[in-house]
Amino acid sequence: NLTQEALGKKIGKSTQAISNIENGKYFPSLDTLVDISKATKTNLVIAFKTDEQLKAEKELNELIEKKRG
């Protein structure tokens, strides 16, 4: 895990900009999102899914596997 300061330095953004992104006060450009993804080694699709979406997707995949199984 990176601090806001460390992430900001890696991608050339201020700590305040990172905080605003985290708190939903600012939506970054696609280029910035890609930079964040690379810096944090996080898949962009996963990064923007809610916990509920991830849980539902997992449950759906488990059901599909049971049907195949």
Side-chain angles (χ1 to χ4, degrees), residues 13-29:
K13 300 290 180 188
S14 69
T15 303
Q16 186 63 47
I18 301 301
S19 176
N20 287 340
I21 292 167
E22 285 185 351
N23 292 310
K25 294 179 182 176
Y26 168 75
F27 193 81
S29 68

Side-chain angles (χ1 to χ4, degrees), residues 2-14 18 22 35-37 39-40:
L2 293 173
T3 63
Q4 290 178 347
E5 182 178 6
L7 178 58
K9 285 181 181 179
K10 278 190 161 206
I11 67 168
K13 300 290 180 188
S14 69
I18 301 301
E22 285 185 351
D35 290 343
I36 291 170
S37 174
T40 60

Side-chain angles (χ1 to χ4, degrees), residues 5 12 26 31-33 37 41 49 51-52 58 67 69:
E5 182 178 6
Y26 168 75
D31 288 338
T32 299
L33 289 173
S37 174
K41 298 177 182 162
K49 288 186 177 181
D51 289 340
E52 291 83 18
K58 180 182 177 188
K67 292 283 185 182

